Amino acid sequence: MGGGVILFFLSINRTAESMPPIFSGDVVVAADPLPQALVITAIVVGISVTAVALIMFISMYHKFGTTNWLKAMKHRLEREDE
Amino acid sequence: MILYAFVLIPIIAGAVIYLIPKKQMRWVAFALQIGLVVLSIYNFALIRLYGPSEIVLGNFAKIAGITLRCDTLSGALIILTAFIFLICFIFGLMDKFVNNLFIFFFLTLQALVMTIFLSRDLFNIYVVTEVSTIIVSVLIMFKKDSRSMYDGMLYLITNIAAMTFFLIGLGFIYKIFGSLDMNIIGARMHEIQDAKVLAVPFAFLMTGVSLKCAFLPLFSWLPKAHATPSAPSVVSVILSGLYVKCGIYLFIRIREMFMPALEMDNIFLIIGILTGVVGFILAMSQKDIKMILAYHTISQLGIVLIGITAGGEYAYYGGVLHLFNHAVFKSLLFLSAGIIISKYGTRDISKIRGVFKKMPYVSIMTFAAILGITGAPLFNGSISKYFIQSGVKGGIVEYALILINLGTIISFIKFSTMFFGGSVKDRIHVAFGKKAAVTIMAIMCLLMGMGGTLVIRSVFNYSVSINMIEYIKKTAVYFASLAGGYLVYMKYLKKMKFIKEGLEMELSVNGIAISMTAFFIFIAGAAYFIAI
């Protein structure tokens, strides 16, 4: 899902003749640099969120002993009754 | 410059406190909180005198740079943030679980919440919300109990999915407007020829925000996150009192932004009514005292939504005022629930008895909050509910509001059964800090009730007045519904099955994802047909 969002961002304001605005030569149509800046931030955020979620997932697996969400839900409800 | 201080000081201070492993550092954090409250009031005074202040980060042009902008609404919300964090520090300063790591997370969360209130850049809001989601889920599972593991995980995954919706929505917005600054987008909104192109980005943004605000089909993460058994009660206070307000705040801003081209107030009004009704029905059937309070958060958010979308300035300002009031009384309720749970060692409402005789002081303060949330005259809930009702006078919405209030009263009658009974012999000692925190909040309940019009005047520069005869009528309605609610509860509801056994709205992650998609399709379709 994250990949789809990133591709979508790259397609914003892109035209065939636009060039990267890095060299200060005679660039006629520069590509809009802002979506790239946004995308790199989105990637960083996405990676860190995934890392946190995986760590949580591992510790949840240790507590519940299952990777199935429905089973985990049942376990949680049982613990509520105790 | 002062706006940078709200963002940077708490994070830097939190990091420093974490790096110096001394127990005394918590007093530094406490002093910092007092400083922030003073600073936020000073900031608010400046805004009132000289108008909104604005900073563009990094000296870019306004269209490309990230703006921090503070008007009176943001200023008031920043005062609220600083104030509630201060109360939490007073309450929890001496607790065992408060170590330097906890203070670090807590202060960072404060900075992030303040940034959400200040920022006008959609992408900045996305990043900040995402980071604060991570911090909140860490705080939920801070004690590493297995149930809170599940709750934190559920919270994290659903909120990440919601923020992905938000991200796609802001991409569309950038494609259409070429800017991410809310004010610029709002100013260009009327240039849109065909409002149908806005339907999809609007629905994406609103789905993300609605999950944050816990509107009707998307709320099943909220009670779990706000009332998870092992989370410290200060965390519940921050989540329920303050953090959901970020969602409502974003809702207000985005609604304002789309206002010239696309207006969907009627749809959201219906969603608000349904949210209010479902919230109190589920609250009535809970046994766990924190769960009751968490479901009431949903119900009260429904009332705020009704106020904002009902049309008319009275209802709008009433809704915004109710947002502040809800922060005050719900924080107080969660604080006293925290005291009661820690002293009794149980959360089951049928097992807690005789709180009034054991902790008379705390009980009286809690009653102030109960009177506030049910809208008793002179307390804060009544003023904001009065404004909302006078905004929607003489329609089906007014009766819906009375119904929601009746439901609130009934479930708080159930809530207050725990105060009675028991014996005087075994009084329980409550620490001074906790007593001080609940006292300040109770006084705030009363003060905001007395000075509700003053708050609206100072925040929005809009003067409202209370019609005495109408107000007395509302008081009569309140007492009538109090008596009616008591009778209904004692006669019928007490014996009904779902009240005794508890009603569960339990959705797995897959269920939440499906309801989120359904909500998105519904909003997109409705926006497409409404836009002309």
Side-chain angles (χ1 to χ4, degrees):
Chain A
M1 197 159 70
V5 178
I6 289 164
L7 272 181
F8 171 69
F9 263 90
L10 288 180
S11 74
I12 296 173
N13 282 1
R14 196 194 177 287
T15 45
E17 63 271 19
S18 63
M19 288 167 65
I22 317 171
F23 304 107
S24 56
D26 43 353
V27 178
V28 188
V29 189
D32 188 354
L34 202 58
Q36 274 97 353
L38 298 186
V39 157
I40 196 92
T41 321
I43 292 172
V44 171
V45 170
I47 287 174
S48 44
V49 164
T50 316
V52 172
L54 279 176
I55 290 172
M56 285 180 184
F57 171 74
I58 291 169
S59 54
M60 201 177 88
Y61 177 66
H62 283 305
K63 297 268 184 199
F64 290 107
T66 175
T67 55
N68 186 324
W69 193 275
L70 294 175
K71 279 183 195 159
M73 197 162 94
K74 256 182 224 152
H75 279 290
R76 190 204 179 278
L77 287 179
E78 277 162 18
R79 272 161 221 236
E80 205 158 66
D81 296 335
E82 278 165 15
Chain B
M1 286 314 283
I2 205 167
L3 298 185
Y4 288 129
F6 291 122
V7 181
L8 292 178
I9 288 180
I11 292 185
I12 294 171
V16 169
I17 287 170
Y18 178 60
L19 289 175
I20 304 174
K22 284 258 167 58
K23 275 227 147 185
Q24 287 76 20
M25 289 310 278
R26 60 182 64 183
W27 293 104
V28 177
F30 181 62
L32 176 83
Q33 291 303 317
I34 295 175
L36 277 175
V37 171
V38 174
L39 193 66
S40 62
I41 293 172
Y42 171 68
N43 176 46
F44 186 74
L46 281 186
I47 291 164
R48 282 290 289 156
L49 285 177
Y50 304 114
S53 61
E54 191 173 81
I55 300 179
V56 183
L57 299 183
N59 291 329
F60 284 107
K62 199 180 158 193
I63 191 164
I66 295 172
T67 16
L68 294 183
R69 188 185 155 88
C70 189
D71 57 7
T72 45
L73 177 60
S74 327
L77 281 166
I78 281 184
I79 295 180
L80 182 77
T81 314
F83 179 69
I84 287 185
F85 270 89
L86 174 66
I87 295 291
C88 286
F89 265 92
I90 295 175
F91 184 84
L93 204 60
M94 283 305 160
D95 282 352
K96 258 185 249 137
F97 66 87
V98 178
N99 53 18
N100 288 2
L101 182 64
F102 184 83
I103 291 177
F104 170 65
F105 279 127
F106 216 57
L107 289 178
T108 312
L109 182 63
Q110 181 180 24
L112 292 170
V113 170
M114 283 179 169
T115 319
I116 292 176
F117 289 143
L118 285 176
S119 181
R120 286 306 157 80
D121 185 272
L122 282 173
F123 193 77
N124 200 20
I125 288 174
Y126 161 74
V127 174
V128 170
T129 319
E130 195 88 322
V131 178
S132 61
T133 304
I134 294 177
I135 291 193
V136 166
S137 55
V138 172
L139 282 177
I140 288 174
M141 44 176 87
F142 198 74
K143 284 186 182 167
K144 293 182 188 152
D145 178 82
S146 60
R147 274 173 298 179
S148 57
M149 268 345 235
Y150 175 89
D151 298 336
M153 186 93 192
L154 182 80
Y155 176 82
L156 185 73
I157 291 180
T158 50
N159 278 276
I160 287 173
M163 287 324 281
T164 310
F165 273 86
F166 192 85
L167 182 62
I168 302 175
L170 78 88
F172 269 105
I173 289 286
Y174 184 75
K175 200 166 187 172
I176 296 170
F177 292 97
S179 174
L180 286 170
D181 188 274
M182 281 189 179
N183 295 18
I184 293 176
I185 296 169
R188 287 183 186 171
M189 194 60 81
H190 64 91
E191 293 169 14
I192 294 291
Q193 304 286 325
D194 183 11
K196 284 196 194 319
V197 295
L198 292 176
V200 173
F202 179 79
F204 270 123
L205 288 178
M206 275 305 176
T207 311
V209 171
S210 298
L211 188 126
K212 282 269 164 207
C213 312
F215 292 153
L216 179 65
L218 309 173
F219 60 76
S220 62
W221 59 272
L222 186 140
K224 285 216 169 348
H226 288 194
T228 185
S230 60
S233 58
V234 284
V235 174
S236 304
V237 169
I238 293 300
L239 289 183
S240 205
L242 198 62
Y243 193 62
V244 278
K245 306 299 181 296
C246 297
I248 294 277
Y249 172 79
L250 290 181
F251 178 82
I252 293 174
R253 290 288 181 212
I254 291 176
R255 171 181 167 276
E256 218 170 73
M257 187 173 94
F258 277 98
M259 200 51 142
L262 191 62
E263 198 195 316
M264 290 193 45
D265 279 1
N266 289 334
I267 304 272
F268 279 103
L269 181 63
I270 294 167
I271 293 177
I273 293 171
L274 290 176
T275 310
V277 173
V278 172
F280 82 72
I281 289 175
L282 286 170
M284 255 189 254
S285 64
Q286 298 300 316
K287 282 182 292 191
D288 186 321
I289 50 176
K290 265 180 141 180
M291 276 294 201
I292 294 178
L293 297 178
Y295 275 110
H296 269 292
T297 301
I298 299 170
S299 169
Q300 300 295 315
L301 289 177
I303 294 181
V304 174
L305 183 60
I306 292 172
I308 290 168
T309 55
E313 293 195 309
Y314 264 62
Y316 178 79
Y317 292 128
V320 177
L321 182 64
H322 199 69
L323 196 143
F324 288 90
N325 288 339
H326 175 258
V328 173
F329 54 62
K330 191 49 67 73
S331 310
L332 175 51
L333 283 170
F334 265 113
L335 289 178
S336 49
I339 298 176
I340 291 166
I341 290 168
S342 69
K343 299 292 176 195
Y344 276 78
T346 176
R347 302 147 55 84
D348 193 336
I349 194 157
S350 57
K351 288 186 189 137
I352 302 175
R353 281 287 171 270
V355 178
F356 191 74
K357 284 184 178 152
K358 285 183 178 164
M359 296 183 257
Y361 190 77
V362 175
S363 309
I364 291 170
M365 295 305 151
T366 314
F367 271 122
I370 292 178
L371 291 174
I373 196 172
T374 51
L378 290 185
F379 284 88
N380 54 2
S382 71
I383 303 288
S384 44
K385 281 181 184 171
Y386 166 79
F387 283 133
I388 297 174
Q389 282 189 355
S390 52
V392 295
K393 214 164 166 8
I396 196 159
V397 183
E398 193 182 1
Y399 294 107
L401 273 173
I402 292 175
L403 176 72
I404 294 172
N405 207 23
L406 180 68
T408 313
I409 289 172
I410 291 175
S411 69
F412 269 95
I413 287 171
K414 183 178 174 184
F415 185 79
S416 55
T417 50
M418 70 178 184
F419 289 110
F420 305 112
S423 59
V424 199
K425 266 185 271 169
D426 41 354
R427 265 211 185 170
I428 298 173
H429 176 70
V430 181
F432 173 74
K434 298 190 192 300
K435 267 187 184 171
V438 289
T439 313
I440 296 171
M441 289 314 255
I443 291 170
M444 280 302 288
C445 269
L446 199 57
L447 280 184
M448 285 183 75
M450 305 284 208
T453 49
L454 194 73
V455 173
I456 289 186
R457 202 180 312 140
S458 59
V459 173
F460 297 108
N461 206 7
Y462 177 80
S463 81
V464 283
S465 59
I466 295 177
N467 186 339
M468 255 310 145
I469 300 163
E470 284 290 313
Y471 195 68
I472 290 166
K473 261 191 211 163
K474 292 282 184 301
T475 310
V477 170
Y478 172 75
F479 282 114
S481 36
L482 192 63
Y486 186 74
L487 279 180
V488 169
Y489 178 71
M490 283 301 165
K491 277 228 148 143
Y492 303 105
L493 288 176
K494 216 175 169 186
K495 291 166 199 123
M496 266 161 82
K497 199 168 162 235
F498 84 99
I499 298 276
K500 270 188 189 161
E501 294 184 353
L503 201 66
E504 279 287 338
M505 264 287 287
E506 187 74 36
L507 285 180
S508 68
V509 170
N510 315 31
I512 293 173
I514 290 170
S515 60
M516 217 182 324
T517 316
F519 186 80
F520 165 72
I521 292 170
F522 170 69
I523 294 288
Y528 186 79
F529 284 112
I530 286 174
I532 307 157

